[in-house]
Amino acid sequence: MSERSVRSGGRLLIVGTPIGNLGDLSPRAAEALATADVIACEDTRRTGRLLQLSGIEKRPLLVCNEHTEVRAFGEVASRVAAGETVALVSDAGMPGISDPGERLVASLLERGAPIEVVPGPTAAVSALVLSGLATDRFVFEGFLPRKGGERTGRLAEIAAERRTVVCYESPKRAAKTLADLVAVCGPERRVAVGRELTKLHEEVVRGSLGEVAVLLADRELKGEVVLVIEGAVADERAWDDERISARLAELIEGGSSTRDAVAQVVTESGAAKRHVYDLATR
């Protein structure tokens, strides 16, 4: 930490804000926003509305979203070095969790700027504890890639993951992702789909992947969606060459390229990549 930053008293406050219910804004978060010299935010209209509804006087706002985050590094660092308190917020939840803020925090840490966090709601953990699935060990995947080999590989990793998996999804893509998860995880794996969490129309749909995928296939969902997927159960059957070849054939017949099929089978079976590739191309 630089001596200048310590002497100046400036700091960055990472402030969690409500994901839907305004009553979830903590007293400490409200105080942080009310006393900050400037608030770095994704959308000035949404943050301005939050301040208004919370009875907080207008504060100077600095746009810091996925398009401006890098440009904001210098200004935020300069303000902190000059002794100012900068509050960082996202549109909802904790900044940096599938929202802008991660790179800003890393940049300021490299510059020795003091950083504190004011904890608040996050959709991932809220959905996890509502899911009814194991919470002792879990992984957060954020938003899945939309297409291509990167998506195929990530889905294969989820299929093999022993811990509970939490990921975000757009309401427009949720049905497609559920169908893809059925394909890689099987229809019996349990899932919980949460949407509009903490809001008036909060809903959590629980069941097997097959059941939930059918239930939500034709529904027009609204609001951000959180998927909580049961971890894989250890498969006691050995992956011999016959089983590996059968799985490769299944994936390739289903439209996967040889490369993607090999990557998925390696993830699912734990077999050596070279051996799986040899079986796929013989």
Side-chain angles (χ1 to χ4, degrees), residues 40-125:
C41 60
E42 287 188 78
D43 187 320
T44 57
R45 293 168 298 181
R46 293 192 64 165
T47 299
R49 181 69 172 160
L50 172 65
L51 298 179
Q52 180 184 17
L53 292 175
S54 303
I56 299 172
E57 293 185 6
K58 288 184 178 180
R59 310 301 302 156
L61 302 178
L62 169 66
V63 177
C64 182
N65 56 35
E66 61 181 333
H67 304 295
T68 66
E69 187 177 17
V70 174
R71 294 200 301 272
F73 290 175
E75 180 170 354
V76 173
S78 296
R79 286 177 175 271
V80 171
E84 294 187 11
T85 294
V86 179
L88 172 65
V89 300
S90 64
D91 283 346
M94 286 299 299
I97 304 297
S98 286
D99 276 319
E102 177 184 359
R103 291 179 296 176
L104 174 62
V105 170
S107 174
L108 291 187
L109 285 174
E110 289 178 356
R111 299 168 189 240
I115 299 178
E116 299 176 24
V117 64
V118 181
T122 177
V125 174

Side-chain angles (χ1 to χ4, degrees), residues 17-272:
T17 57
I19 59 176
N21 191 320
L22 189 63
D24 292 334
L25 184 70
S26 72
R28 185 180 170 212
E31 180 183 8
L33 297 178
T35 57
D37 294 294
V38 64
I39 299 174
C41 60
E42 287 188 78
D43 187 320
T44 57
R45 293 168 298 181
R46 293 192 64 165
T47 299
R49 181 69 172 160
L50 172 65
L51 298 179
Q52 180 184 17
L53 292 175
S54 303
I56 299 172
E57 293 185 6
K58 288 184 178 180
R59 310 301 302 156
L61 302 178
L62 169 66
V63 177
C64 182
N65 56 35
E66 61 181 333
H67 304 295
T68 66
E69 187 177 17
V70 174
R71 294 200 301 272
F73 290 175
E75 180 170 354
V76 173
S78 296
R79 286 177 175 271
V80 171
E84 294 187 11
T85 294
V86 179
L88 172 65
V89 300
S90 64
D91 283 346
M94 286 299 299
I97 304 297
S98 286
D99 276 319
E102 177 184 359
R103 291 179 296 176
L104 174 62
V105 170
S107 174
L108 291 187
L109 285 174
E110 289 178 356
R111 299 168 189 240
I115 299 178
E116 299 176 24
V117 64
V118 181
T122 177
V125 174
S126 298
L128 175 66
V129 298
L130 282 170
S131 70
L133 300 175
T135 60
D136 56 335
R137 299 181 69 214
F138 66 93
V139 292
F140 176 61
E141 286 288 337
F143 286 93
L144 300 180
R146 295 189 183 186
K147 57 184 179 180
E150 188 178 358
R151 179 178 176 87
T152 301
R154 188 79 67 84
L155 288 168
E157 291 175 2
I158 291 174
E161 177 59 62
R162 300 286 298 278
R163 294 165 291 183
T164 303
V165 178
V166 183
C167 60
Y168 290 161
E169 190 52 280
S170 157
K172 294 181 179 180
R173 296 192 297 273
K176 172 66 165 58
T177 294
L178 284 168
D180 288 346
L181 287 168
V182 171
V184 297
C185 299
E188 300 304 318
R189 188 87 63 91
R190 290 187 297 163
V191 68
V193 179
R195 68 175 194 86
E196 297 284 85
L197 296 179
T198 77
K199 299 179 183 178
L200 180 62
H201 300 293
E202 174 180 291
E203 178 183 26
V204 181
V205 181
R206 305 174 183 87
S208 70
L209 271 170
E211 293 168 342
V212 174
V214 170
L215 184 63
L216 299 183
D218 298 320
R219 278 190 53 184
E220 183 179 348
L221 300 180
K222 294 183 179 180
E224 290 299 326
V225 172
V226 187
L227 306 177
V228 185
I229 306 141
E230 182 180 30
V233 177
D235 192 341
E236 296 179 354
R237 295 178 300 157
W239 281 76
D240 56 18
D241 288 357
E242 182 179 354
R243 185 179 178 194
I244 291 174
S245 296
R247 181 60 174 143
L248 286 167
E250 178 185 8
L251 291 169
I252 292 171
E253 288 173 6
S256 294
S257 66
T258 299
R259 176 183 176 183
D260 290 342
V262 167
Q264 182 160 334
V265 172
V266 168
T267 300
E268 292 178 3
S269 67

